[in-house]
Amino acid sequence: MVIKVKYPKTKLIFEVRDIWPLTLTEEGGYSKYHPAVLFLGLIEKIGYKYYDVVVGTMPNLKEHVETILNKKVDNVHCIPFGVYPNTYDLSDISTINDKTFIKFKNNTQKKFTIGYAGSIGLSNGLNTIIQVIKEMEEYQDIHFVFLGDGGYRDRYQEELSNFKNVTFTGRVKREYVKYYLEKCDVLFIAALPSKVWLYGWSLNKMIDYMISGKPVIAEYDGHRSMINEAESGFFVKSRDFEALKNKIIELYEMPSIDLEKIGKKGKDWIINNRSWEKIANNYLTIIKNI
């Protein structure tokens, strides 16, 4: 606002990566009357009101801005996370000599593999799939793999210690994640219910999932994007045990050629819509039109 007063002809862009203070109240448990929340709320409102353009990674950010300002706006745009497609080349997969990866391949060989990659903590919403695993002992040729680490990893690993169809790899090097995902049949993501998700997501994890060419199951109640646009996956209601279990069984029983078609839609969509070149050009167009 100070810049606007001093240089009235200057065009300003307000860029949002996380919605503050909503993230503090929804996921941090802070009161809406906390001084930090009130201060950030003031900064947020000033940014939305006085900047020429607001951009954010959330596809439904416009709705949030309109709620804060209590009026319709047309200067809000989504600039999501992107990808360099050539970084997902798998031509050297046969040369990977990592012990954890080799063990993972051996454990999942000839199995229908459901993969999760990311942090394993309270906020990652994995309780439902952990419960599903406990209720699917008869499906021993379905293997569940959790790539990553976090505060709940030891707890989940202990709960599932008697199940032979589960693998926890621990932390995986970022450059190796694509090799693990390529060996899965279906990929899983979950998000705890939160008002933050009403405005959508743009997750690097989702880009990794979709460009791997695998169908995605998302346990998620927020604003839907990406996998529904690409028709490359399925949403199930958060904490709906039966819905998640039934969807896993449905995909398990689906012909592999149909799974491949669904996954390919996601890969093609990411390449066509989330390349950094395309995103940069979109951003430049917004700047030129201010």
Side-chain angles (χ1 to χ4, degrees), residues 23-127:
T23 302
L24 273 181
T25 56
E26 282 295 302
E27 300 184 3
Y30 285 79
S31 165
K32 64 180 180 179
Y33 301 110
H34 190 283
V37 172
L38 294 173
F39 174 73
L40 287 172
L42 176 63
I43 297 298
E44 178 186 44
K45 192 167 187 177
I46 289 172
Y48 295 161
K49 184 175 182 180
Y50 293 103
Y51 279 64
D52 297 281
V53 169
V54 177
V55 301
T57 58
M58 312 83 184
N60 198 32
L61 179 62
K62 183 174 183 287
E63 181 180 319
H64 175 68
V65 174
E66 291 178 340
T67 300
I68 296 298
L69 297 181
N70 195 30
K71 67 175 185 179
K72 294 291 184 180
V73 297
D74 58 7
N75 66 334
V76 181
H77 303 273
C78 176
I79 298 295
F81 293 123
V83 63
Y84 294 109
N86 61 350
T87 63
Y88 287 82
D89 176 64
L90 295 168
S91 60
D92 60 344
I93 190 170
S94 61
T95 66
I96 301 302
N97 197 31
D98 180 77
K99 291 182 180 179
T100 304
F101 180 65
I102 293 172
K103 181 179 179 181
F104 158 78
K105 287 198 301 180
N106 291 337
N107 286 344
T108 59
Q109 192 171 21
K110 296 183 180 180
K111 301 287 184 66
F112 184 83
T113 305
I114 310 276
Y116 168 85
S119 297
I120 303 175
L122 175 63
S123 64
N124 302 110
L126 297 177
N127 282 342

Side-chain angles (χ1 to χ4, degrees), residues 109-283:
Q109 192 171 21
K110 296 183 180 180
K111 301 287 184 66
F112 184 83
T113 305
I114 310 276
Y116 168 85
S119 297
I120 303 175
L122 175 63
S123 64
N124 302 110
L126 297 177
N127 282 342
T128 306
I129 195 168
I130 297 300
Q131 187 60 36
V132 166
I133 293 170
K134 293 177 181 178
E135 299 294 328
M136 293 186 67
E137 275 194 277
E138 70 271 29
Y139 292 92
Q140 284 302 302
D141 52 346
I142 298 180
H143 200 92
F144 297 86
V145 177
F146 295 87
L147 312 178
D149 206 351
Y152 270 43
R153 177 192 160 194
D154 289 344
R155 169 181 168 175
Y156 291 145
Q157 201 161 353
E158 177 63 26
E159 286 184 35
L160 299 174
S161 59
N162 293 326
F163 292 79
K164 305 302 182 184
N165 63 331
V166 183
T167 296
F168 287 85
T169 67
R171 190 178 302 279
V172 172
K173 292 181 180 179
R174 169 68 181 165
E175 61 268 28
Y176 283 176
V177 171
K178 61 184 179 181
Y179 302 115
Y180 287 86
L181 300 185
E182 197 278 333
K183 292 297 182 183
C184 295
D185 295 286
V186 172
L187 300 172
F188 173 77
I189 187 172
L192 290 177
S194 168
K195 290 181 180 178
V196 172
W197 299 123
L198 292 175
Y199 309 108
W201 58 13
S202 176
L203 305 175
N204 283 323
K205 180 190 301 185
M206 187 58 69
I207 291 174
D208 290 343
Y209 278 14
M210 292 175 68
I211 203 169
S212 72
K214 308 297 177 178
V216 179
I217 299 175
E219 183 193 338
Y220 173 73
D221 294 340
H223 177 82
R224 297 182 177 185
S225 63
M226 299 182 72
I227 64 174
N228 58 304
E229 295 169 83
E231 299 181 336
S232 65
F234 309 88
F235 290 95
V236 296
K237 187 174 177 58
S238 180
R239 296 170 176 167
D240 190 332
F241 166 85
E242 288 298 333
L244 179 56
K245 179 180 177 181
N246 290 338
K247 184 57 67 177
I248 289 173
I249 294 172
E250 177 188 332
L251 296 185
Y252 165 68
E253 295 176 344
M254 186 177 292
S256 59
I257 190 170
D258 292 337
L259 289 174
E260 290 170 6
K261 288 178 181 178
I262 294 171
K264 186 178 185 301
K265 287 181 180 181
K267 183 174 184 176
D268 291 344
W269 189 90
I270 289 292
I271 292 172
N272 292 330
N273 294 277
R274 287 292 190 267
S275 72
W276 278 121
E277 181 180 5
K278 181 178 179 65
I279 291 170
N281 287 333
N282 290 345
Y283 208 157

